[in-house]
Amino acid sequence: MFNEMTMDDQVREPYRALVDWMEANGPEVLEQKRLEAETLFRKIGITFAVYGEGGDPERLIPFDLIPRIFTASEWRKLDRGVKQRARALNTFLYDVYHNAEIIKAGIIPADLVFKNDAFEPAVIGIDPPRKVYSHIVGVDIVRTGPEDFYVLEDNCRTPSGVSYMLENREIMMRMFPELFKNLRIEPVESYPDMLLKTLKSIAPPKCDREPNIVVLTPGAMNSAYYEHSFLADQMGVELVEGQDLFVSDDRVYMRTTRGPARVDVIYRRIDDAYIDPLCFRPDSVLGVPGLMNVYRSGGVAICSAPGAGVADDKAVYTYVPDMIRFYLGQEPILNNVPTWKCGKPDDMKYVLEHLGELVVKEVHGSGGYGMLVGPASTKAEQAAYAERIKADPGDFIAQPTLALSACPTFVESGIAPRHVDFRPFCLVGDDIRLTPGGLTRVALREGSLVVNSSQGGGVKDTWIMSD
């Protein structure tokens, strides 16, 4: 296991100033800061929701005070790799909804795309503004060594967590002003402005003025509602629900106290199936009837576009390096984690024989649900999971249990290493923009590899040091 703070019993250079501060102030001051930070989180209301476990679904996001730190050179590699990936994924999306050249070339199986639950036939032939389907790409990255970074998965629909990135930084600047004064830490507070600029840049063809932008939320019961309201507030745009919008004369309008206001760009935080009951699920009360007709006619832009989810399917993920080579003529800067596709008989045979060593996931799963972490599972759990794989092999992929890097984390017993991953948020519009930072998620339970907040994980601030 690579410890990001120490190597060969020596503190690594990016952590030197932080360690000096902690040694000078002691654990009592750190504990006091932790309590102050928790009070701020409660006061601000930084929460997420977990349903189905009983009790109050609103949970305070567990926040660790010790930041994760990347050097400028490490960030340059991540920046180039994430942007390369976002470019390839968007080119793939445009391709499969038009000429499907990558399928004709025999690089990706047709069934994997066209029979995928996330593929939306209603989107075929539509030209979204700037040919961009996924405007916010969240790339989950893990580290296994000083120079070794791997992409664990891509999130091309509505990746969440960016509000925690921003709030984590705000809290840290309050808690440790002297560190921010003395160290050259790249800022992240420009993200809302960058997001707004990206959304304005994808205004639809029929927009002949400064675009009116809204954030479309399913409502206060959604687990990420805090983020929806936070981002709308930070951008200075309206937060709306489906009932606040309506379609008339091939345009989308918002109901206001001053009468209807035309909407040009919708940053939707609603799944494809619910955005338009006339096109997708007819029982949806969350969406806007007729929205897709306006989208087709160029009267509104939707971020991210319906159908973008086919690019972040965990089986399609295995072909992203091939996409980069096919569309961009480049070698991947960030490698995939080696992956077995259970839909292939030989791969399934290997996975079933090595369940105790692998991490197995549903190809459409998210949030850490529906997965088997082999080394942490019982024989009975493995046997039950094997039956699920046999029943529908194509619904599962498997990956080796990587020795994820660990960062120092303030836990009950003191400071101890805990496994982490990293999600930067890449914005794609008239340009590809990446804030120098991201969401570091940490597995707070000792030995755990599951970092999802819904599964007991927490978050850290991420510091990118400038040269």
Side-chain angles (χ1 to χ4, degrees):
M1 179 181 69
F2 173 59
N3 189 316
E4 297 193 12
M5 187 172 78
T6 60
M7 183 182 291
D8 300 327
D9 297 323
Q10 299 292 318
V11 176
R12 294 179 64 239
E13 183 56 34
Y15 282 87
R16 182 71 266 170
L18 176 66
V19 170
D20 289 345
W21 185 94
M22 290 192 297
E23 290 178 347
N25 288 274
E28 295 82 8
V29 172
L30 202 59
E31 172 62 14
Q32 180 186 345
K33 298 280 188 184
R34 185 191 68 79
L35 293 173
E36 290 175 11
E38 184 174 309
T39 299
L40 283 171
F41 266 64
R42 290 188 185 280
K43 188 177 295 184
I44 296 170
I46 305 172
T47 62
F48 68 101
V50 176
Y51 297 103
E53 296 184 3
D56 186 356
E58 288 295 319
R59 310 285 171 87
L60 193 70
I61 189 81
F63 173 65
D64 181 58
L65 276 178
I66 304 177
R68 185 188 199 174
I69 305 176
F70 290 114
T71 65
S73 61
E74 290 168 344
W75 176 250
R76 280 191 288 271
K77 177 179 180 178
L78 293 172
D79 179 89
R80 289 187 299 113
V82 169
K83 288 178 177 177
Q84 179 193 59
R85 207 164 175 101
R87 187 176 292 112
L89 287 164
N90 269 291
T91 309
F92 165 75
L93 283 165
Y94 188 86
D95 183 27
V96 297
Y97 285 112
H98 289 79
N99 297 326
E101 297 295 343
I102 199 167
I103 293 171
K104 293 175 184 175
I107 294 172
I108 297 181
D111 285 356
L112 186 59
V113 174
F114 299 135
K115 292 186 178 180
N116 195 301
D117 288 344
F119 182 81
E120 297 291 359
V123 182
I124 292 174
I126 295 178
D127 284 342
R130 300 188 184 276
K131 298 183 178 181
V132 175
Y133 280 76
S134 181
H135 307 87
I136 305 164
V137 182
V139 180
D140 291 349
I141 298 170
V142 295
R143 188 176 193 176
T144 59
E147 307 294 332
D148 303 316
F149 296 92
Y150 293 91
V151 175
L152 195 61
E153 61 182 59
D154 304 290
N155 300 273
C156 295
R157 298 174 232 204
T158 55
S160 63
V162 75
S163 61
Y164 302 137
M165 174 189 81
L166 296 168
E167 292 285 25
N168 291 348
R169 177 59 55 85
E170 179 69 23
I171 297 295
M172 289 293 285
M173 290 179 73
R174 292 194 195 187
M175 296 296 101
F176 304 103
E178 64 274 27
L179 285 173
F180 282 89
K181 178 182 178 181
N182 297 327
L183 298 177
R184 300 182 61 171
I185 303 166
E186 293 281 4
V188 299
E189 61 266 20
S190 62
Y191 179 86
D193 290 337
M194 291 168 59
L195 175 59
L196 184 60
K197 187 174 183 179
T198 297
L199 294 174
K200 286 182 177 180
S201 78
I202 61 162
K206 291 182 180 179
C207 180
D208 53 4
R209 54 178 190 156
E210 182 76 3
N212 188 22
I213 298 165
V214 299
V215 177
L216 176 60
T217 176
M221 295 300 291
N222 185 266
S223 62
Y225 181 73
Y226 170 80
E227 178 159 297
H228 306 166
S229 58
F230 175 85
L231 289 174
D233 180 63
Q234 291 291 303
M235 290 190 290
V237 305
E238 293 294 336
L239 178 70
V240 300
E241 297 182 25
Q243 62 191 356
D244 300 319
L245 304 178
F246 68 94
V247 168
S248 178
D249 297 327
D250 279 336
R251 297 292 174 92
V252 176
Y253 293 89
M254 171 175 55
R255 294 181 172 89
T256 77
T257 56
R258 295 186 298 273
R262 201 175 85 199
V263 173
D264 303 296
V265 180
I266 298 174
Y267 174 24
R268 55 101 175 195
R269 297 298 296 259
I270 294 178
D271 291 344
D272 288 359
Y274 300 97
I275 63 173
D276 183 352
L278 299 183
C279 185
F280 302 113
R281 284 188 56 159
D283 60 341
S284 172
V285 295
L286 301 176
V288 184
L291 175 61
M292 285 300 294
N293 284 335
V294 183
Y295 180 59
R296 286 190 194 95
S297 70
V300 72
I302 302 175
C303 165
S304 283
V310 71
D312 64 22
D313 176 274
K314 290 181 177 63
V316 172
Y317 151 90
T318 62
Y319 292 95
V320 176
D322 297 315
M323 295 178 199
I324 292 170
R325 297 183 186 101
F326 182 75
Y327 295 121
L328 309 182
Q330 301 169 356
E331 283 300 311
I333 296 168
L334 298 174
N335 291 319
N336 275 18
V337 176
T339 303
W340 290 271
K341 292 168 278 207
C342 294
K344 292 185 174 182
D346 289 345
D347 282 14
M348 184 179 78
K349 182 175 183 294
Y350 179 88
V351 170
L352 292 174
E353 291 172 353
H354 296 84
L355 273 180
E357 306 163 18
L358 303 172
V359 176
V360 191
K361 305 175 183 179
E362 299 171 346
V363 296
H364 304 301
S366 63
Y369 294 105
M371 61 189 287
L372 177 80
V373 181
S377 63
T378 65
K379 291 292 184 183
E381 288 169 338
Q382 292 171 28
Y385 210 93
E387 292 305 313
R388 293 184 59 200
I389 294 172
K390 292 174 187 176
D392 190 1
D395 200 37
F396 297 90
I397 56 102
Q399 295 170 329
T401 308
L402 297 179
L404 301 188
S405 66
C407 282
T409 302
F410 194 52
V411 295
E412 288 186 8
S413 59
I415 297 174
R418 292 292 185 267
H419 294 297
V420 290
D421 80 350
F422 180 54
R423 176 182 290 180
F425 297 88
C426 189
L427 301 173
V428 187
D430 61 337
D431 196 4
I432 299 182
R433 303 177 175 91
L434 190 60
T435 299
L439 179 66
T440 288
R441 301 183 296 181
V442 54
L444 295 173
R445 289 193 288 265
E446 185 176 4
S448 174
L449 298 173
V450 181
V451 299
N452 306 79
S453 55
S454 57
Q455 304 289 303
V459 296
K460 288 174 170 284
D461 192 16
T462 306
W463 293 1
I464 310 299
M465 310 306 292
S466 62
D467 288 325

